[in-house]
PDB file of all heavy atoms in Angstrom:
ATOM      1  N   GLN B1067     114.009  81.724 122.935  1.00 90.00           N
ATOM      2  CA  GLN B1067     114.298  82.667 121.851  1.00 90.00           C
ATOM      3  C   GLN B1067     113.204  83.718 121.717  1.00 90.00           C
ATOM      4  O   GLN B1067     112.116  83.576 122.272  1.00 90.00           O
ATOM      5  CB  GLN B1067     114.453  81.903 120.537  1.00 90.00           C
ATOM      6  CG  GLN B1067     115.750  81.115 120.487  1.00 90.00           C
ATOM      7  CD  GLN B1067     115.926  80.412 119.161  1.00 90.00           C
ATOM      8  OE1 GLN B1067     115.042  79.707 118.706  1.00 90.00           O
ATOM      9  NE2 GLN B1067     117.069  80.600 118.541  1.00 90.00           N
ATOM     10  N   GLY B1075     107.572  80.668 109.071  1.00 84.00           N
ATOM     11  CA  GLY B1075     106.957  79.363 109.311  1.00 84.00           C
ATOM     12  C   GLY B1075     107.009  78.966 110.773  1.00 84.00           C
ATOM     13  O   GLY B1075     106.035  78.458 111.341  1.00 84.00           O
ATOM     14  N   GLU B1137      90.624  71.989  99.237  1.00 87.00           N
ATOM     15  CA  GLU B1137      91.474  70.875  99.621  1.00 87.00           C
ATOM     16  C   GLU B1137      91.381  70.571 101.117  1.00 87.00           C
ATOM     17  O   GLU B1137      91.515  69.427 101.532  1.00 87.00           O
ATOM     18  CB  GLU B1137      92.913  71.259  99.273  1.00 87.00           C
ATOM     19  CG  GLU B1137      93.884  70.142  99.274  1.00 87.00           C
ATOM     20  CD  GLU B1137      95.242  70.657  98.818  1.00 87.00           C
ATOM     21  OE1 GLU B1137      95.741  71.644  99.386  1.00 87.00           O
ATOM     22  OE2 GLU B1137      95.783  70.093  97.870  1.00 87.00           O
ATOM     23  N   TYR B1167      79.510  84.906  91.028  1.00 90.00           N
ATOM     24  CA  TYR B1167      80.801  85.242  91.639  1.00 90.00           C
ATOM     25  C   TYR B1167      81.626  83.975  91.871  1.00 90.00           C
ATOM     26  O   TYR B1167      82.817  83.937  91.584  1.00 90.00           O
ATOM     27  CB  TYR B1167      80.591  85.989  92.963  1.00 90.00           C
ATOM     28  CG  TYR B1167      81.879  86.228  93.695  1.00 90.00           C
ATOM     29  CD1 TYR B1167      82.779  87.187  93.237  1.00 90.00           C
ATOM     30  CD2 TYR B1167      82.226  85.476  94.820  1.00 90.00           C
ATOM     31  CE1 TYR B1167      83.983  87.392  93.874  1.00 90.00           C
ATOM     32  CE2 TYR B1167      83.422  85.672  95.459  1.00 90.00           C
ATOM     33  CZ  TYR B1167      84.303  86.631  94.992  1.00 90.00           C
ATOM     34  OH  TYR B1167      85.495  86.828  95.625  1.00 90.00           O
ATOM     35  N   ALA B1215     124.923 103.194  73.750  1.00 45.00           N
ATOM     36  CA  ALA B1215     126.046 102.471  74.334  1.00 45.00           C
ATOM     37  C   ALA B1215     127.229 102.626  73.393  1.00 45.00           C
ATOM     38  O   ALA B1215     127.526 101.763  72.598  1.00 45.00           O
ATOM     39  CB  ALA B1215     125.677 101.013  74.509  1.00 45.00           C
ATOM     40  N   VAL B1227     117.708  89.462  74.539  1.00 89.00           N
ATOM     41  CA  VAL B1227     117.784  90.849  74.979  1.00 89.00           C
ATOM     42  C   VAL B1227     118.578  90.955  76.278  1.00 89.00           C
ATOM     43  O   VAL B1227     119.286  91.915  76.513  1.00 89.00           O
ATOM     44  CB  VAL B1227     116.374  91.461  75.084  1.00 89.00           C
ATOM     45  CG1 VAL B1227     115.559  90.790  76.170  1.00 89.00           C
ATOM     46  CG2 VAL B1227     116.439  92.955  75.310  1.00 89.00           C
ATOM     47  N   GLY B1241     129.179  91.071 112.150  1.00 56.00           N
ATOM     48  CA  GLY B1241     129.007  90.037 113.162  1.00 56.00           C
ATOM     49  C   GLY B1241     129.374  90.541 114.536  1.00 56.00           C
ATOM     50  O   GLY B1241     129.380  91.746 114.783  1.00 56.00           O
ATOM     51  N   LEU B1294     124.283  91.401  80.567  1.00 92.00           N
ATOM     52  CA  LEU B1294     124.383  92.003  79.239  1.00 92.00           C
ATOM     53  C   LEU B1294     122.994  92.370  78.742  1.00 92.00           C
ATOM     54  O   LEU B1294     122.102  91.535  78.708  1.00 92.00           O
ATOM     55  CB  LEU B1294     125.029  91.029  78.254  1.00 92.00           C
ATOM     56  CG  LEU B1294     126.431  90.541  78.611  1.00 92.00           C
ATOM     57  CD1 LEU B1294     126.941  89.579  77.559  1.00 92.00           C
ATOM     58  CD2 LEU B1294     127.382  91.718  78.774  1.00 92.00           C
ATOM     59  N   THR B1335     102.176 110.747  88.809  1.00 92.00           N
ATOM     60  CA  THR B1335     102.921 109.497  88.945  1.00 92.00           C
ATOM     61  C   THR B1335     103.300 108.945  87.575  1.00 92.00           C
ATOM     62  O   THR B1335     104.441 108.554  87.346  1.00 92.00           O
ATOM     63  CB  THR B1335     102.061 108.455  89.686  1.00 92.00           C
ATOM     64  OG1 THR B1335     101.694 108.989  90.950  1.00 92.00           O
ATOM     65  CG2 THR B1335     102.819 107.165  89.887  1.00 92.00           C
ATOM     66  N   LEU B1340     108.072 110.413  82.039  1.00 93.00           N
ATOM     67  CA  LEU B1340     108.086 111.080  80.737  1.00 93.00           C
ATOM     68  C   LEU B1340     108.788 112.427  80.832  1.00 93.00           C
ATOM     69  O   LEU B1340     109.600 112.808  79.996  1.00 93.00           O
ATOM     70  CB  LEU B1340     106.653 111.290  80.234  1.00 93.00           C
ATOM     71  CG  LEU B1340     105.876 110.017  79.901  1.00 93.00           C
ATOM     72  CD1 LEU B1340     104.399 110.330  79.750  1.00 93.00           C
ATOM     73  CD2 LEU B1340     106.424 109.390  78.636  1.00 93.00           C
ATOM     74  N   ALA B1353      98.449 113.198  76.710  1.00 92.00           N
ATOM     75  CA  ALA B1353      97.839 112.207  75.823  1.00 92.00           C
ATOM     76  C   ALA B1353      98.375 110.815  76.137  1.00 92.00           C
ATOM     77  O   ALA B1353      97.625 109.837  76.187  1.00 92.00           O
ATOM     78  CB  ALA B1353      98.115 112.576  74.372  1.00 92.00           C
ATOM     79  N   VAL B1355      99.574 109.763  79.034  1.00 93.00           N
ATOM     80  CA  VAL B1355      99.028 109.305  80.301  1.00 93.00           C
ATOM     81  C   VAL B1355      97.625 108.739  80.094  1.00 93.00           C
ATOM     82  O   VAL B1355      97.287 107.662  80.586  1.00 93.00           O
ATOM     83  CB  VAL B1355      99.005 110.450  81.337  1.00 93.00           C
ATOM     84  CG1 VAL B1355      98.265 110.016  82.596  1.00 93.00           C
ATOM     85  CG2 VAL B1355     100.412 110.898  81.671  1.00 93.00           C
ATOM     86  N   ALA B1385     100.853 101.331  88.635  1.00 91.00           N
ATOM     87  CA  ALA B1385     102.286 101.014  88.610  1.00 91.00           C
ATOM     88  C   ALA B1385     102.680 100.454  87.252  1.00 91.00           C
ATOM     89  O   ALA B1385     103.752 100.755  86.719  1.00 91.00           O
ATOM     90  CB  ALA B1385     102.623 100.021  89.714  1.00 91.00           C
ATOM     91  N   LEU B1430     110.766  89.815  82.766  1.00 94.00           N
ATOM     92  CA  LEU B1430     111.487  88.978  83.730  1.00 94.00           C
ATOM     93  C   LEU B1430     110.588  88.965  84.946  1.00 94.00           C
ATOM     94  O   LEU B1430     110.374  89.991  85.592  1.00 94.00           O
ATOM     95  CB  LEU B1430     112.864  89.580  84.052  1.00 94.00           C
ATOM     96  CG  LEU B1430     113.743  88.698  84.941  1.00 94.00           C
ATOM     97  CD1 LEU B1430     114.083  87.398  84.247  1.00 94.00           C
ATOM     98  CD2 LEU B1430     115.042  89.422  85.297  1.00 94.00           C
ATOM     99  N   HIS B1434     107.141  83.798  93.803  1.00 83.00           N
ATOM    100  CA  HIS B1434     107.280  82.595  94.613  1.00 83.00           C
ATOM    101  C   HIS B1434     106.127  81.643  94.298  1.00 83.00           C
ATOM    102  O   HIS B1434     106.048  80.550  94.798  1.00 83.00           O
ATOM    103  CB  HIS B1434     107.287  82.950  96.095  1.00 83.00           C
ATOM    104  CG  HIS B1434     105.965  83.470  96.569  1.00 83.00           C
ATOM    105  ND1 HIS B1434     105.619  84.793  96.463  1.00 83.00           N
ATOM    106  CD2 HIS B1434     104.899  82.844  97.101  1.00 83.00           C
ATOM    107  CE1 HIS B1434     104.400  84.965  96.923  1.00 83.00           C
ATOM    108  NE2 HIS B1434     103.925  83.812  97.304  1.00 83.00           N
ATOM    109  N   ALA B1458     114.449  75.641  82.389  1.00 91.00           N
ATOM    110  CA  ALA B1458     113.891  74.939  81.222  1.00 91.00           C
ATOM    111  C   ALA B1458     112.595  75.612  80.784  1.00 91.00           C
ATOM    112  O   ALA B1458     112.155  76.593  81.379  1.00 91.00           O
ATOM    113  CB  ALA B1458     113.635  73.479  81.568  1.00 91.00           C
TER     114      ALA B1458
END
Side-chain angles (χ1 to χ4, degrees):
Chain B
Q1067 288 183 309
E1137 195 176 53
Y1167 174 73
V1227 66
L1294 301 180
T1335 302
L1340 294 166
V1355 173
L1430 186 64
H1434 68 274

